[in-house]
Each structure stands twice: as C-alpha cells, then as structure tokens.
Amino acid sequence: MKRIPMMAFILMAGHTFAQQRLNNASFMHAPESVATDNSSYYIADLGEGANPTKKDGNGIIFRMNKNGDHQVLATGLDAPKGAFLLHHILFVADIDKVKGYDITSGAQLYNINLAPATAFLNDITAINDSTLVASATDVNKLFLVHLGKAPRAEELVYTNPIKGANGVAYDARSSKLYVCGFGSNNMPVGQIGYIDMNAAEKVFTPLTNRLGYYDGIALTDRNKQLIISDWVAFEKKGVLLKLDLASGRIITLNQELIAGPADFTLDAAGNAIVPAMLEANVLK
C-alpha cells in the first residue's frame, strides 16, 4: 500500500504543493507508474511510441536514485503500468500479464497471464503477502492474482461496475479496497469508491459524486484520507486531490497543473512522487 506519514501530510495539506522535477535528464518516454522503497524510485515506462496496448517490446523499468541518476532495471516489456513493490519484488501490469522483477538484479520472477480476460491491465496493489489485486481498465473489472508455486488469477466479482477501473489501494485495517476509474468512451466519468472485501456480496460503493479521469489512488498511513490523481484533460491540466473519508470533503493539493498525473506513490518523507506522463518527467 502506498502511504504517507500523517504528521508530514498534515503539515503539507494546508498548503498547495510545490513541484520539483526529480529526473536530472530526459531519459523517459511515457512514465505511467512509480514505486519507491525510499531509497530508489522504480518507474514503469510505456517506452518509445507510448502505446498502452501494443505488444511492441518497447517497455522499460527504470531505477532512479534521489539525485535523478537512472539505470535500466528491465527491458523487453510491452507497456508496463501499475508499479507496486511487495518486499523485494516490483510487480507491474503489462497489458495482459502481471510481471514481477527482483529490484536488486532485475531478474524476472513472475509472468502471470490474464489473457484473454483483459488487454489493458492498469494498476496493482497487494491485500496480503500472497495476493495482489490488478485493475483491468478495458473491461471494468478487478482480478485477484494469487502468487506462490502455481500463480493464477481470478476475477473479483462485484456489483456496480467501475467505469475504466484504474487505481487501487487496500486498507488492511478495514478490509476496504479503494478503487478509482478513468471513465469510459473518452469521457471523464470515472468514480472514486471502495469495495468491502469482508462482505459476502461485494459492491462498489462511490464516496463522492465528483467524476473525473482518475488514475492513481493512495491512502494516508492512518487511513483517514485518500489522495487521487485526476488528468482532467489530455493536456497539462492534471490535479492531485485529497478526499477526507469522514466528511467526504475534497480539496485540490497542487497549484501548478500536471501533464498527465498517472499512477503516483507517496514516500516516507511526505512527498507525492508523480509521473507526468505527457511530458516524460517524474515530479515531487
């Protein structure tokens, strides 16, 4: 789960974010997702051509240090999205496969095929050490991905479909899976809500009437607030939102708009690390 220390977040939440480009050179093509172990940033990049559904082998995973210097961790992916760190393994959603890479060596440890159920896996989170949740934007579905000796995937059945299911974040304390959608038919009609994973009949329950092109979603460490990225439009108009789970109040955090705020992460120092996908940068 992507979390931020509450005190650091409270200190920042009263003010709009200042932005800083983290990469010291222009080496990315279309960064869709970033994860961090608070030592390095792991960036899933669609690669040259930036086609999110084409199996072209152009996808790359970069490892970048806090000085902005980068290395290539893995190549030969197609369109990696949804980077999520589970212990020493970086999981990414790569069109119709969930792939896992050792963050030290770059060795591929998992290659779990979800075809033909989907051709647009998007985000990933974990609900425990052996089970991931992956969103499938093209079919408005979620999948449980079981790790172990014989990895497999199954559809997570729920009612009230999520249009363009995208960002996912899990709260182990409440057993709630928070999800946001990118919308459908090129319309910003995505919703923000949750699924109670303990319920016998699982239902997607919206948290607000505000609609958008929602991409990333994250929980603060005390699980009282959600942070969500909204592209707003396919140009430099993107925002980060804070949704208070008790009141339902939503505020915009950033003053300077972002060009395609994709699947971001929150680090231990209280920073939002956001891929600006349309300008091929990563912002703090």
Side-chain angles (χ1 to χ4, degrees), residues 35-48:
T36 183
D37 57 5
N38 294 310
S39 175
S40 299
Y41 305 108
Y42 301 90
I43 303 160
D45 191 313
L46 301 184
E48 190 173 357

Side-chain angles (χ1 to χ4, degrees), residues 47-64:
E48 190 173 357
N51 191 321
T53 60
K54 186 177 180 181
K55 293 190 174 183
D56 52 17
N58 287 337
I60 306 169
I61 298 173
F62 294 106
R63 177 169 51 212
M64 184 173 72

Side-chain angles (χ1 to χ4, degrees), residues 130-262:
S130 61
T131 309
L132 307 175
V133 176
S135 61
T137 303
D138 56 335
V139 291
N140 308 315
K141 292 181 178 181
L142 301 171
F143 291 90
L144 297 174
V145 180
H146 303 284
L147 307 175
K149 294 182 179 179
R152 62 184 179 86
E154 63 173 322
E155 183 181 344
L156 173 61
V157 178
Y158 60 92
T159 57
N160 191 16
I162 307 163
K163 295 178 181 179
N166 195 338
V168 286
Y170 183 66
D171 176 8
R173 303 177 195 181
S174 67
S175 298
K176 287 182 178 178
L177 177 67
Y178 292 96
V179 189
C180 62
F182 200 74
S184 60
N185 299 319
N186 291 319
M187 297 294 292
V189 292
Q191 294 176 294
I192 305 167
Y194 71 91
I195 297 169
D196 183 351
M197 296 296 286
N198 277 339
E201 182 179 352
K202 294 174 176 56
V203 180
F204 174 69
T205 303
L207 288 166
T208 172
N209 291 326
R210 188 191 188 282
L211 304 178
Y213 286 125
Y214 297 125
D215 196 319
I217 190 169
L219 274 164
T220 59
D221 67 345
R222 293 186 183 178
N223 304 354
K224 294 183 179 181
Q225 297 158 326
L226 286 173
I227 315 301
I228 309 103
S229 61
D230 181 359
W231 282 52
V232 179
F234 296 98
E235 52 188 291
K236 193 173 182 177
K237 291 189 176 181
V239 295
L240 286 183
L241 306 173
K242 182 186 75 171
L243 188 158
D244 183 83
L245 291 172
S247 67
R249 181 172 179 249
I250 294 179
I251 65 171
T252 300
L253 295 175
N254 57 306
Q255 184 174 20
E256 182 181 350
L257 300 178
I258 303 169

Side-chain angles (χ1 to χ4, degrees), residues 79-132:
K81 299 178 275 295
F84 183 86
L85 270 172
L86 183 61
H87 304 305
H88 69 287
I89 302 174
L90 181 75
F91 288 95
V92 296
D94 194 14
I95 300 185
D96 55 9
K97 296 179 177 64
V98 171
K99 298 178 179 179
Y101 296 86
D102 185 288
I103 60 172
T104 302
S105 67
Q108 185 172 332
L109 305 178
Y110 287 93
N111 187 25
I112 306 166
N113 192 3
L114 278 74
T118 175
F120 202 118
L121 290 173
N122 207 323
D123 197 17
I124 295 178
T125 192
I127 60 175
N128 54 48
D129 281 349
S130 61
T131 309
L132 307 175

